[in-house]
Amino acid sequence: MPLFHRREETLNEKLLREAGYSQDGDRVEESPADAAQAADECGPDGEIVFRLDAPDLPGSSYDIVTLPDASVLVDEDAPDVSDLAEAVEQDLDPPYRATAVRQDDGYWLVAARPIDVETLPLDGEDFELSVLDGEARLTIDGREADAAGVPSRLMRLGDQAGTDFVVRATRLDGDLWEVRPSPL
């Protein structure tokens, strides 16, 4: 039996910490070293985290995606989330993916990051293309598929990540896909 038990941090706790707030919503004073570490934690991917005062927005959480033309994709049952999108766009241009979680005090904690959107004529909802040692492998919705039919645009995106890479993609709407190339 371990002497110490490490409690896992919830998503709300992590978002509050990264935004510089305590669990009760008070702003935490940071030393310059803490501020530099927090900036490093945001990473080079451009992720932003902030609190939004929107007590009239119903619900408890929302995931939104904004496309390059600034149109917003959200659940069809969702209310108007334009205030949320406008707040994100103070610091981040479309396209991006954002998650907003209501806090107990009526504020919303929002995390958003830029995304790459491509128009691709593919079937399925999710796919993964990997190239390792020159050998391509493709899965669509978790099933093996013929990699010979992969659009050349996807191969070029992967090549930009390195000689061995993976490109993951999720359908957003119609032929629009969020793509995430990474080196292996």
Side-chain angles (χ1 to χ4, degrees), residues 67-105:
L67 300 175
D69 68 359
S71 59
V72 178
L73 300 178
V74 68
D75 249 358
E76 59 188 50
D77 312 351
D80 178 13
V81 293
S82 58
D83 287 347
L84 174 59
E86 288 173 14
V88 171
E89 290 169 17
Q90 297 287 319
D91 294 308
L92 198 60
D93 292 327
Y96 59 83
R97 178 176 292 278
T99 299
V101 179
R102 180 184 289 281
Q103 304 302 293
D104 290 338
D105 58 3

Side-chain angles (χ1 to χ4, degrees), residues 85-148:
E86 288 173 14
V88 171
E89 290 169 17
Q90 297 287 319
D91 294 308
L92 198 60
D93 292 327
Y96 59 83
R97 178 176 292 278
T99 299
V101 179
R102 180 184 289 281
Q103 304 302 293
D104 290 338
D105 58 3
Y107 283 87
W108 291 78
L109 196 57
V110 181
R113 64 176 171 75
I115 61 172
D116 292 320
V117 176
E118 295 288 331
T119 302
L120 302 167
L122 297 171
D123 293 328
E125 296 300 315
D126 294 288
F127 74 82
E128 181 177 293
L129 167 67
S130 60
V131 174
L132 183 61
D133 295 329
E135 176 136 356
R137 180 173 176 244
L138 176 67
T139 57
I140 299 174
D141 295 336
R143 291 188 212 113
E144 196 77 28
D146 183 10

Side-chain angles (χ1 to χ4, degrees), residues 14-43:
K14 179 182 181 218
L15 290 172
L16 280 167
R17 178 181 49 77
E18 289 177 352
Y21 290 90
S22 69
Q23 295 305 308
D24 28 338
D26 297 327
R27 188 83 169 135
V28 176
E29 293 297 319
E30 293 181 314
S31 70
D34 291 338
Q37 180 181 358
D40 288 343
E41 288 176 357
C42 288

